Amino acid sequence: SQQGEEDPQALSIQEGENATMNCSYKTSINNLQWYRQNSGRGLVHLILIRSNEREKHSGRLRVTLDTSKKSSSLLITASRAADTASYFCATDDTGANSKLTFGKGITLSVRP
Amino acid sequence: GAVVSQHPSWVICKSGTSVKIECRSLDFQATTMFWYRQFPKQSLMLMATSNEGSKATYEQGVEKDKFLINHASLTLSTLTVTSAHPEDSSFYICSARTGLPSYEQYFGPGTRLTVT
């Protein structure tokens, strides 16, 4: 079953602009992760934010987490054409039997 | 970071035949591996959770007799699609999870299955 719901479902921006993608989820989580997938390829792990964290940075990526609203955002600054891909949020519930549940994904197109 | 491989990367088979996909954790031991399926332009759907030495746990709606999972060692899990049909054509992705304390999950590159 799907847990995360990203919005927008598709985003088209100009190179150099910032891209903001949002994810909402329904249940309590241990952590939330963002992944990138280029067309027809495997997943690339971008960043993980734990439930007790509110913001995390990695290079041009900034992730926020609001557990009270059950939402997260991924900001890509100074976007590049190479950032064109699908982006997924995935939530990890708690415990040794936890499993990642993926959202529907956002298709980002960065125009050169 | 940890590496997970899948073999084959793509396979074409005839309807009615069976196909086996391997998932290996190359530089770590994975007590738990996961199998996902992804249809074009859709998200990853978890099919089953595979624990080394025990039976896999299948998600609701996934036929365990059609998608046979064997997790024979701490570095290898296999998914066999039995009596494949065209509707089984999909992108199959495995992931392997490390143990305590981090429980980090690493994904394989995926296997594209086309059933003709």
Side-chain angles (χ1 to χ4, degrees):
Chain A
S1 62
Q2 295 288 309
Q3 158 92 299
E5 290 278 342
E6 294 96 337
D7 76 88
Q9 293 193 345
L11 180 62
S12 180
I13 59 174
Q14 198 72 36
E15 201 166 29
E17 294 180 338
N18 296 338
T20 299
M21 291 167 271
N22 302 302
C23 168
S24 60
Y25 57 93
K26 298 176 182 175
T27 64
S28 296
I29 61 171
N30 185 36
N31 63 65
L32 185 146
Q33 304 179 40
W34 285 91
Y35 289 85
R36 184 185 75 219
Q37 185 181 37
N38 290 86
S39 181
R41 307 291 292 272
L43 294 176
V44 175
H45 183 261
L46 294 177
I47 197 164
L48 178 152
I49 186 165
R50 301 191 188 284
S51 60
N52 61 352
E53 297 176 310
R54 292 296 167 260
E55 186 172 311
K56 205 162 183 181
H57 296 255
S58 177
R60 294 185 294 116
L61 305 180
R62 172 178 170 258
V63 168
T64 63
L65 179 65
D66 187 333
T67 53
S68 66
K69 295 181 179 178
K70 291 186 167 57
S71 67
S72 173
S73 68
L74 171 68
L75 168 68
I76 303 175
T77 60
S79 64
R80 305 167 182 169
D83 294 328
T84 295
S86 293
Y87 291 81
F88 297 91
C89 69
T91 52
D92 188 358
D93 55 29
T94 58
N97 295 321
S98 67
K99 55 190 178 185
L100 283 180
T101 304
F102 284 81
K104 293 180 180 179
I106 300 169
T107 300
L108 173 66
S109 299
V110 181
R111 304 184 300 274
Chain B
V3 178
V4 176
S5 70
Q6 277 184 245
H7 178 79
S9 56
W10 60 271
V11 57
I12 301 172
C13 72
K14 292 186 182 299
S15 189
T17 61
S18 296
V19 173
K20 180 184 284 188
I21 303 170
E22 292 186 351
C23 176
R24 292 181 186 273
S25 56
L26 297 185
D27 48 5
F28 67 99
Q29 293 184 331
T31 54
T32 304
M33 291 185 172
F34 304 88
W35 287 95
Y36 294 83
R37 180 169 55 183
Q38 185 181 32
F39 291 109
K41 298 190 185 302
Q42 294 189 26
S43 187
L44 281 75
M45 296 297 294
L46 180 65
M47 299 174 66
T49 301
S50 165
N51 290 298
E52 186 265 339
S54 63
K55 291 183 179 180
T57 302
Y58 290 82
E59 295 298 302
Q60 192 172 6
V62 178
E63 299 175 60
K64 62 180 181 180
D65 294 329
K66 180 168 184 63
F67 299 100
L68 301 179
I69 292 172
N70 185 305
H71 193 158
S73 76
L74 288 172
T75 59
L76 173 64
S77 176
T78 60
L79 168 68
T80 302
V81 183
T82 63
S83 186
H85 288 101
E87 57 264 32
D88 297 324
S89 298
S90 188
F91 195 50
Y92 291 87
I93 303 174
C94 75
S95 72
R97 188 172 69 190
T98 63
L100 287 167
S102 59
Y103 283 130
E104 293 183 2
Q105 197 164 331
Y106 299 92
F107 285 82
T111 296
R112 173 77 58 196
L113 170 62
T114 302
V115 185
T116 61

